[in-house]
Amino acid sequence: MKLKGLGKRCKRREDLEIRFILIQNRAGKTRLAKWYMQFDDDEKQKLIEEVHAVVTVRDAKHTNFVEVLAISVADSLSVLQFRNFKIIYRRYAGLYFCICVDVNDNNLAYLEAIHNFVEVLNEYFHNVCELDLVFNFYKVYTVVDEMFLAGEIRETSQTKVLKQLLMLQSLE
Amino acid sequence: MPAVSKGDGMRGLAVFISDIRNCKSKEAEIKRINKELANIRSKFKGDKALDGYSKKKYVCKLLFIFLLGHDIDFGHMEAVNLLSSNKYTEKQIGYLFISVLVNSNSELIRLINNAIKNDLASRNPTFMCLALHCIANVGSREMGEAFAADIPRILVAGDSMDSVKQSAALCLLRLYKASPDLVPMGEWTARVVHLLNDQHMGVVTAAVSLITCLCKKNPDDFKTCVSLAVSRLSRIVSSASTDLQDYTYYFVPAPWLSVKLLRLLQCYPPPEDAAVKGRLVECLETVLNKAQEPPKSKKVQHSNAKNAILFETISLIIHYDSEPNLLVRACNQLGQFLQHRETNLRYLALESMCTLASSEFSHEAVKTHIDTVINALKTERDVSVRQRAADLLYAMCDRSNAKQIVSEMLRYLETADYAIREEIVLKVAILAEKYAVDYSWYVDTILNLIRIAGDYVSEEVWYRVLQIVTNRDDVQGYAAKTVFEALQAPACHENMVKVGGYILGEFGNLIAGDPRSSPPVQFSLLHSKFHLCSVATRALLLSTYIKFINLFPETKATIQGVLRAGSQLRNADVELQQRAVEYLTLSSVASTDVLATVLEEMPPFPERESSILAKLKRKKGPGAGSALDDGRRDPSSNDINGGMEPTPSTVSTPSPSADLLGLRAAPPPAAPPASAGAGNLLVDVFDGPAAQPSLGPTPEEAFLSPGPEDIGPPIPEADELLNKFVCKNNGVLFENQLLQIGVKSEFRQNLGRMYLFYGNKTSVQFQNFSPTVVHPGDLQTHILSGPAQPPASPRRPSSPWGSRLTQLAVQTKRVAAQVDGGAQVQQVLNIECLRDFLTPPLLSVRFRYGGAPQALTLKLPVTINKFFQPTEMAAQDFFQRWKQLSLPQQEAQKIFKANHPMDAEVTKAKLLGFGSALLDNVDPNPENFVGAGIIQTKALQVGCLLRLEPNAQAQMYRLTLRTSKEPVSRHLCELLAQQF
């Protein structure tokens, strides 16, 4: 047991730009969770709940950025009570798209990265709705991997991503 | 079910998902899932071999079940089988399952790695990308070991497809960050830099991330990327809004790539090459110019993308901090955003301006926006925006606007969110002190702070105001008057009572001439608060009362009456009772002269860094940014009060004894050491209930005949001094104007020998020089007076060898009672560790210098780790023992912030100095440190395992200790945690 823990904890120390991407609906149901850092299952659950709690209370007069002051994941070095990361989020109908990045990262670049991603999903699923993400969850991962990899932005051209996705779609 | 029609194939999956969605209750869902799990299990176990499609479908169902939050304990093998399918859709599901449910089953890892290897070699770009994505998603060390050498080759190979290059670059980035030691540097690195020139913008986008990461670790090796990045950036920035086609986003050419390039440049100082620099400055100017152009689209996406580049450009300008023109332009641009209708922009502008405020070139320009920022503090709806406004006000504050800013922050404090009140209080306290022109304003401000937000005023803040008032005689009268007035409010905060009690006790005489604040009035005002206060405050007030007896003899009868009252003399709280008893006796026994000496005004405090500032720094994490650092190079502030520097007129040179007293133990005893007992008493005023209970000498003894062996409490720095020696054995233990104490020591098994060198730094002889060692262990252990010890301690048992409680035996040799000016004497200590112990022995040094007695108590640098014997062991043994010590109480763990730069070599040296063996190749992560050793005591041996995990990015460490004895784990953990 412990040994596994050792291995897991090591990976936490990486300095990846994006720590995770979350898509949640207003009720707090997760529609996509893509983790770029190693978290334990209960840490993930806690993060999901915290993100939901901080994001859903905000309205249009608020910024799209939340610095998370104290995420109470006790056993994780990287998310101690410091302002060392923030959630960049945008709401689309009933869905919140959230990206967690380093506190020094460029807010607007990630805010638009979310939008770029959403436009790709919209194109790919022809007017995407929440159910598309539920029934095609395994394809959503493919879209994510085309656009974000290893916590970094991989490809930003919608044309290129869609072309690639259509090509993959055509494969057996 | 709209998606089903689109969901090509896997109809069974869609049906299953629908079923789950239709479940009315959690129980129904679990029932449905269990049914499905049973079905899948039987299919997997069945005799009939499953075809690829079914396998894919079932694995996908398992994945869905897992993502719903249920445990999956089978199916891994089927998923691995899918990896070797020739069909993309099957392979994809296999890889997805592996990526989401990482499993460290070594058998499977081998199979997985094998499949990845095949796909990497397949020359099929789709399969190669799947494999690369899997490595990037899992990023484990095992995968690093297997593929770190191959990926650079794929990345720079001439025939790799663009999409493969993109994935390879980021895959390599992931492996490099996880295990840099596994990625071989080589010929490929030069070619990676040239990917900045690649035709394909997607490849550049991915490559910049990799290059940025490599640059951070090896800046010199990748210097050439600067000019390439500049020219790439220049081409993007100067292109028309449609030139880049696919990479134009809402009329903004390649915004993300631009941002990444600008961040890459922030790894380096401004380019030295004039041509490159010129080109870059031109780029930066172009970006600033474009910000002024009318938008090409009304969409928020357009302005966001454009401003993402703008903010990154400003970051780079601030990073260079060398182009006044650009800095001022940046500031003006941000100034426009301060009133933008988009909350995001206002927030970012405030944040960015905070850093501009710390540049000498733009500080003045930032200041011109003060009214807007104050307005933001008052009107913004989003608390995080208000917080940025408060940060900015703090950053832009200097002498010219301090009064305005402080008063606005005070006003804001009345309505501020609870979460940020303490921080605002600290900021106000710092600004008030730093920019105080006259100290009456400072005193007013702090008293206002207490009035408005008393609950959030920490000890540091009110200690500090006492310190400053004590050190500056020009403000004492004013402080007394103001605090007297403040106390007249019907309800005042307890912190106000504390400050009032202390100041009136010291300086009440300065306002006693006014009949409105005559001594009896002062006393009754204070005493009217007494009953509402906590024990600590009441203890402080009792000390004020005894000071009043000295200051105002006319109050003596009244105060003695109060002290004599049963509620004091028989108070259930031992601290209050002791004070009442002792003060009462002191006031009746001591002559006026003695009383005046004992209760003399406090001497000035030694100057040191403001503890408030230290606290603010502690409060904020590493991301706090420069705004909070005190590093502003503000030429206008001559810093007469920056660090509370002593000015000759008001502050006397700190006496050596004052130097020993830190803020924590404030206030220092004013009394000469002859009345050390009383001195301790006053120190205890602030120590609160934690102070030693008064089981000791009777009051008479304490005041009038302090026994020679009454060892005072260790000086406040004692712990800090001790910490310096946890990982080393030799050095200077202590030094002040009079005396230097050096230490040399060696330890073997449970024995140690220590040489102490006492150097007289003055030209005058020390007399009655007597250093003694005692060990006040938790269990009331006794010192061992060795045979050579003079019979100087009649009250202590002379031979406690047999005592079962003894933890440490220390033999000392007597030293000469006189130490000539400039001379050094040596003392040898023989130490035997009998059993594990937690508190170090105390070294008490007493002597007379120029007729005045001097005394100080230090902690002897003998800590339990000195008796460590390093133990080498193999990884397997280590883990076995680690597992054996898995009871919760055997483990002690601490997560703490790095206090020193995180350098692996230094850390290694410290751990070795700590005494444990360092075990290489045990921890899978090479950044971590693992050690083992045995603590040798006469009675028993304690095996210890330790593990230190640095987190460079968060600037934190996690330290885990496991030993067979619970207190030892905790103690070692605490000792070692102080060292980093």
Side-chain angles (χ1 to χ4, degrees):
Chain A
M1 274 318 280
K2 266 295 160 189
L3 270 178
K4 232 179 182 176
L6 285 179
K8 269 185 177 176
R9 278 175 204 164
C10 305
K11 282 177 230 140
R12 269 197 204 123
R13 310 173 333 89
E14 298 153 38
D15 182 17
L16 295 174
E17 300 256 316
I18 305 175
R19 283 91 204 277
F20 55 81
I21 299 176
L22 271 184
I23 305 177
Q24 298 178 319
N25 67 14
R26 277 161 72 189
K29 273 220 188 295
T30 305
R31 293 310 180 202
L32 171 87
K34 180 80 188 175
W35 307 95
Y36 294 99
M37 271 170 66
Q38 212 71 38
F39 295 100
D40 293 342
D41 287 344
D42 46 347
E43 289 173 344
K44 288 180 183 170
Q45 193 49 39
K46 200 135 203 181
L47 282 166
I48 287 171
E49 285 163 17
E50 298 245 7
V51 169
H52 180 246
V54 293
V55 161
T56 41
V57 295
R58 300 172 67 88
D59 63 30
K61 289 269 183 216
H62 287 87
T63 61
N64 290 86
F65 326 125
V66 197
E67 281 185 7
V68 182
L69 283 164
I71 281 213
S72 45
V73 177
D75 191 29
S76 164
L77 271 182
S78 324
V79 283
L80 278 173
Q81 298 97 337
F82 295 122
R83 273 174 41 192
N84 62 357
F85 69 95
K86 57 191 172 192
I87 312 282
I88 314 277
Y89 75 97
R90 195 180 255 167
R91 186 178 154 176
Y92 294 87
L95 287 181
Y96 290 90
F97 286 70
C98 312
I99 290 193
C100 178
V101 291
D102 188 90
V103 82
N104 296 316
D105 275 328
N106 190 309
N107 297 40
L108 293 176
Y110 282 105
L111 186 59
E112 285 318 306
I114 292 176
H115 189 74
N116 201 29
F117 174 53
V118 171
E119 288 193 350
V120 167
L121 289 177
N122 198 43
E123 196 66 32
Y124 182 51
F125 289 110
H126 312 290
N127 290 325
V128 68
C129 68
E130 190 175 342
L131 280 186
D132 292 326
L133 306 187
V134 175
F135 283 92
N136 298 288
F137 68 95
Y138 55 96
K139 291 185 184 166
V140 180
Y141 280 100
T142 305
V143 181
V144 173
D145 278 350
E146 286 298 319
M147 302 187 74
F148 305 92
L149 192 63
E152 298 279 346
I153 294 175
R154 176 182 179 273
E155 178 56 84
T156 61
S157 158
Q158 293 184 18
T159 323
K160 289 235 161 66
V161 174
L162 286 165
K163 215 171 113 193
Q164 175 74 4
L165 290 172
L166 291 179
M167 188 278 285
L168 295 176
Q169 184 91 329
S170 69
L171 295 176
E172 227 332 271
Chain B
M1 281 191 293
V4 179
S5 54
K6 285 180 219 157
D8 47 310
M10 292 211 277
R11 205 183 127 65
L13 175 70
V15 170
F16 175 57
I17 295 176
S18 297
D19 283 359
I20 295 286
R21 289 180 54 78
N22 291 334
C23 285
K24 294 275 187 295
S25 67
K26 195 79 199 162
E27 290 72 33
E29 183 185 308
I30 290 173
K31 212 173 144 203
R32 178 67 185 87
I33 284 171
N34 285 337
K35 186 179 148 204
E36 192 64 37
L37 286 174
N39 172 39
I40 298 173
R41 204 176 263 127
S42 72
K43 296 279 189 211
F44 283 170
K45 277 196 185 145
D47 307 330
K48 206 171 72 175
L50 286 177
D51 60 10
Y53 169 82
S54 313
K55 220 182 271 174
K56 170 181 87 170
K57 183 179 72 184
Y58 293 129
V59 167
C60 205
K61 280 181 180 176
L62 285 178
L63 188 57
F64 183 78
I65 293 170
F66 176 79
L67 291 172
L68 281 179
H70 302 268
D71 282 338
I72 294 296
D73 54 6
F74 68 102
H76 301 83
M77 188 48 95
E78 284 74 12
V80 173
N81 286 342
L82 285 176
L83 298 184
S84 39
S85 161
N86 289 327
K87 294 194 169 131
Y88 165 75
T89 52
E90 292 169 16
K91 223 184 234 312
Q92 189 250 329
I93 297 295
Y95 273 122
L96 182 57
F97 187 93
I98 301 296
S99 306
V100 174
L101 282 99
V102 196
N103 191 298
S104 47
N105 183 322
S106 58
E107 195 60 20
L108 282 179
I109 286 282
R110 209 172 39 78
L111 292 172
I112 294 167
N113 282 356
N114 216 13
I116 292 177
K117 197 165 222 105
N118 289 338
D119 281 334
L120 286 182
S122 69
R123 302 189 147 264
N124 175 335
T126 306
F127 290 179
M128 287 172 86
C129 278
L130 275 180
L132 288 168
H133 292 182
C134 179
I135 302 173
N137 283 326
V138 176
S140 68
R141 194 163 171 89
E142 291 87 347
M143 285 194 179
E145 277 161 1
F147 304 111
D150 296 341
I151 293 167
R153 200 177 35 74
I154 297 174
L155 175 58
V156 296
D159 57 350
S160 285
M161 298 275 290
D162 291 329
S163 64
V164 173
K165 280 189 194 169
Q166 276 174 285
S167 299
L170 294 172
C171 184
L172 191 55
L173 165 82
R174 171 77 200 241
L175 292 182
Y176 184 75
K177 282 187 172 175
S179 344
D181 56 311
L182 292 179
V183 178
M185 290 292 143
E187 176 256 354
W188 63 274
T189 51
R191 298 174 63 183
V192 160
V193 173
H194 283 275
L195 289 176
L196 289 173
N197 272 335
D198 202 282
Q199 292 276 313
H200 189 284
M201 300 274 271
V203 172
V204 189
T205 303
V208 184
S209 294
L210 173 63
I211 294 167
T212 306
C213 165
L214 293 168
C215 285
K216 282 183 184 155
K217 298 235 173 156
N218 333 273
D220 290 341
D221 300 348
F222 289 89
K223 255 190 194 147
T224 45
C225 71
V226 172
S227 63
L228 291 171
V230 168
S231 61
R232 189 83 207 203
L233 181 68
S234 161
R235 268 181 281 158
I236 298 171
V237 168
S238 56
S239 61
S241 52
T242 49
D243 283 0
L244 302 178
Q245 295 163 356
D246 290 356
Y247 287 89
T248 299
Y249 178 81
Y250 288 88
F251 305 102
V252 182
W256 294 282
L257 180 53
S258 306
V259 167
K260 280 190 181 191
L261 288 167
L262 287 161
R263 288 181 79 84
L264 169 61
L265 291 171
Q266 288 172 57
C267 299
Y268 289 96
E272 283 158 22
D273 183 312
V276 176
K277 185 166 181 194
R279 198 158 181 204
L280 177 56
V281 168
E282 208 172 286
C283 279
L284 303 179
E285 278 171 343
T286 311
V287 174
L288 289 170
N289 291 340
K290 277 192 177 175
Q292 294 298 326
E293 288 171 11
K296 294 195 173 59
S297 155
K298 283 205 161 53
K299 295 249 187 193
V300 70
Q301 282 75 21
H302 171 70
S303 75
N304 279 349
K306 201 164 125 181
N307 291 328
I309 303 174
L310 177 64
F311 278 107
E312 209 56 60
T313 301
I314 293 176
S315 293
L316 183 62
I317 293 172
I318 295 170
H319 169 77
Y320 287 162
D321 197 13
S322 61
E323 300 283 330
N325 171 38
L326 291 177
L327 281 160
V328 171
R329 281 192 66 186
C331 183
N332 293 340
Q333 182 60 53
L334 294 177
Q336 290 179 18
F337 286 158
L338 287 181
Q339 312 209 44
H340 202 277
R341 65 188 161 75
E342 283 265 330
T343 315
N344 286 344
L345 283 182
R346 296 198 303 275
Y347 172 92
L348 293 170
L350 288 166
E351 186 181 62
S352 193
M353 245 191 202
C354 233
T355 44
L356 275 176
S358 58
S359 162
E360 58 178 301
F361 300 117
S362 46
H363 184 69
E364 287 303 315
V366 171
K367 273 167 63 186
T368 59
H369 299 287
I370 183 166
D371 292 330
T372 321
V373 181
I374 287 172
N375 197 42
L377 191 62
K378 288 177 178 161
T379 56
E380 284 290 350
R381 272 195 51 203
D382 184 336
V383 53
S384 60
V385 185
R386 294 198 296 276
Q387 199 165 359
R388 287 298 89 79
D391 285 348
L392 178 54
L393 284 177
Y394 178 78
M396 65 161 70
C397 191
D398 62 20
R399 189 146 300 146
S400 70
N401 55 21
K403 286 202 174 173
Q404 186 188 6
I405 287 178
V406 165
S407 80
E408 291 297 345
M409 283 176 127
L410 275 174
R411 195 167 308 153
Y412 173 57
L413 197 51
E414 298 188 33
T415 53
D417 308 71
Y418 295 107
I420 62 173
R421 280 194 186 182
E422 188 178 357
E423 196 185 315
I424 302 267
V425 166
L426 289 173
K427 283 182 170 157
V428 170
I430 290 167
L431 294 178
E433 178 183 334
K434 194 168 174 197
Y435 298 115
V437 179
D438 63 300
Y439 276 87
S440 51
W441 173 71
Y442 168 74
V443 169
D444 284 341
T445 305
I446 301 296
L447 294 184
N448 267 328
L449 267 187
I450 297 177
R451 217 182 346 248
I452 296 169
D455 283 346
Y456 298 89
V457 174
S458 57
E459 283 182 345
E460 282 88 347
V461 173
W462 69 265
Y463 282 2
R464 189 74 183 153
V465 69
L466 296 184
Q467 250 189 349
I468 287 174
V469 170
T470 307
N471 286 12
R472 303 198 67 96
D473 50 19
D474 52 343
V475 76
Q476 290 162 354
Y478 181 80
K481 179 166 165 288
T482 321
V483 80
F484 178 79
E485 281 160 9
L487 284 173
Q488 283 171 323
C492 61
H493 195 272
E494 189 164 335
N495 280 336
M496 188 71 88
V497 179
K498 287 178 179 166
V499 173
Y502 188 88
I503 288 184
L504 292 180
E506 289 287 313
F507 310 114
N509 55 327
L510 299 176
I511 56 167
D514 188 329
R516 284 167 299 175
S517 52
S518 68
V521 177
Q522 286 186 36
F523 173 73
S524 58
L525 179 61
L526 281 177
H527 198 54
S528 68
K529 317 281 180 197
F530 186 89
H531 304 278
L532 301 170
C533 291
S534 66
V535 168
T537 308
R538 277 191 268 164
L540 185 151
L541 285 177
L542 287 178
S543 297
T544 302
Y545 297 170
I546 184 74
K547 292 182 195 171
F548 269 26
I549 293 185
N550 174 46
L551 287 178
F552 316 122
E554 66 266 40
T555 60
K556 181 169 172 176
T558 322
I559 290 175
Q560 284 187 330
V562 168
L563 293 175
R564 201 175 287 126
S567 57
Q568 311 303 341
L569 277 190
R570 284 191 292 281
N571 196 299
D573 185 273
V574 69
E575 178 68 28
L576 293 180
Q577 188 188 91
Q578 185 189 4
R579 284 183 196 227
V581 171
E582 291 183 351
Y583 290 154
L584 183 59
T585 318
L586 177 65
S587 70
S588 35
V589 174
S591 70
T592 331
D593 284 352
V594 170
L595 205 58
T597 317
V598 171
L599 300 167
E600 201 184 337
E601 191 180 303
M602 292 296 171
F605 287 81
E607 305 306 337
R608 58 188 71 223
E609 185 198 22
S610 162
S611 55
I612 310 178
L613 204 58
K615 172 160 181 155
L616 187 67
K617 283 181 190 158
R618 273 203 308 277
K619 250 186 92 65
K620 312 292 275 192
S626 57
L628 296 173
D629 289 338
D630 214 18
R632 160 135 18 102
R633 291 149 298 185
D634 178 358
S636 67
S637 98
N638 277 330
D639 213 25
I640 43 169
N641 16 19
M644 261 265 314
E645 296 205 48
T647 44
S649 65
T650 51
V651 178
S652 64
T653 321
S655 69
S657 67
D659 205 27
L660 304 180
L661 291 146
L663 183 60
R664 276 282 166 188
S675 56
N680 288 345
L681 207 66
L682 293 183
V683 172
D684 287 350
V685 170
F686 282 70
D687 279 349
Q692 303 153 332
S694 60
L695 299 167
T698 63
E700 283 83 355
E701 254 186 319
F703 292 124
L704 304 173
S705 55
E709 281 308 298
D710 278 340
I711 291 200
I715 60 169
E717 298 93 323
D719 282 315
E720 203 181 306
L721 296 170
L722 180 74
N723 279 336
K724 288 203 305 195
F725 283 84
V726 167
C727 294
K728 65 174 186 179
N729 289 330
N730 306 326
V732 175
L733 176 61
F734 173 78
E735 183 159 25
N736 66 8
Q737 284 102 321
L738 303 180
L739 177 71
Q740 185 193 53
I741 305 179
V743 176
K744 257 187 160 170
S745 54
E746 45 183 344
F747 295 87
R748 191 161 303 143
Q749 303 217 317
N750 69 326
L751 299 174
R753 172 167 294 172
M754 179 176 281
Y755 298 88
L756 292 171
F757 302 90
Y758 304 96
N760 180 345
K761 290 174 65 184
T762 71
S763 50
V764 182
Q765 191 186 55
F766 291 163
Q767 287 165 329
N768 299 355
F769 189 80
S770 100
T772 24
V773 176
V774 293
H775 188 232
D778 298 336
L779 303 166
Q780 290 188 317
T781 49
H782 308 288
I783 54 153
L784 173 85
S785 311
Q789 173 86 358
S793 52
R795 287 202 265 137
R796 295 191 187 271
S798 57
S799 176
W801 271 112
S803 164
R804 279 171 49 208
L805 298 173
T806 306
Q807 299 163 323
L808 263 189
V810 183
Q811 266 188 334
T812 56
K813 289 212 170 109
R814 142 189 242 160
V815 297
Q818 277 83 36
V819 185
D820 287 335
Q824 190 183 59
V825 295
Q826 178 187 332
Q827 186 180 29
V828 186
L829 272 58
N830 288 320
I831 303 159
E832 182 176 16
C833 180
L834 303 174
R835 44 183 296 139
D836 55 299
F837 65 99
L838 303 182
T839 48
L842 297 181
L843 170 69
S844 161
V845 182
R846 287 157 181 269
F847 57 95
R848 291 179 85 84
Y849 165 66
Q854 307 282 340
L856 78 119
T857 305
L858 298 166
K859 294 191 173 174
L860 206 60
V862 179
T863 42
I864 181 82
N865 64 295
K866 299 289 178 198
F867 304 96
F868 240 128
Q869 205 176 6
T871 318
E872 293 289 346
M873 58 179 82
Q876 207 182 349
D877 297 340
F878 181 86
F879 288 120
Q880 195 187 350
R881 281 168 213 217
W882 184 264
K883 244 186 262 170
Q884 281 164 358
L885 297 172
S886 58
L887 293 177
Q889 64 268 28
Q890 291 173 326
E891 179 180 280
Q893 188 173 74
K894 245 189 150 128
I895 297 174
F896 54 92
K897 211 168 125 32
N899 284 318
H900 304 284
M902 302 179 79
D903 182 325
E905 288 309 311
V906 176
T907 307
K908 247 184 219 167
K910 281 182 178 167
L911 288 171
L912 289 171
F914 190 68
S916 73
L918 267 186
L919 307 178
D920 289 327
N921 305 323
V922 169
D923 198 300
N925 184 329
E927 306 280 308
N928 292 344
F929 301 92
V930 167
I934 295 170
I935 291 188
Q936 303 276 358
T937 76
K938 194 175 182 200
L940 75 167
Q941 299 189 334
V942 185
C944 308
L945 302 175
L946 72 87
R947 177 154 185 267
L948 179 73
E949 301 157 85
N951 179 337
Q953 179 252 320
Q955 288 290 303
M956 312 263 319
Y957 288 98
R958 169 162 53 199
L959 174 66
T960 314
L961 255 299
R962 287 190 174 187
T963 78
S964 43
K965 281 200 84 173
E966 172 191 5
V968 176
S969 301
R970 259 189 287 120
H971 185 55
L972 286 176
C973 189
E974 271 158 28
L975 280 177
L976 191 54
Q978 311 277 357
Q979 302 300 319
F980 304 99

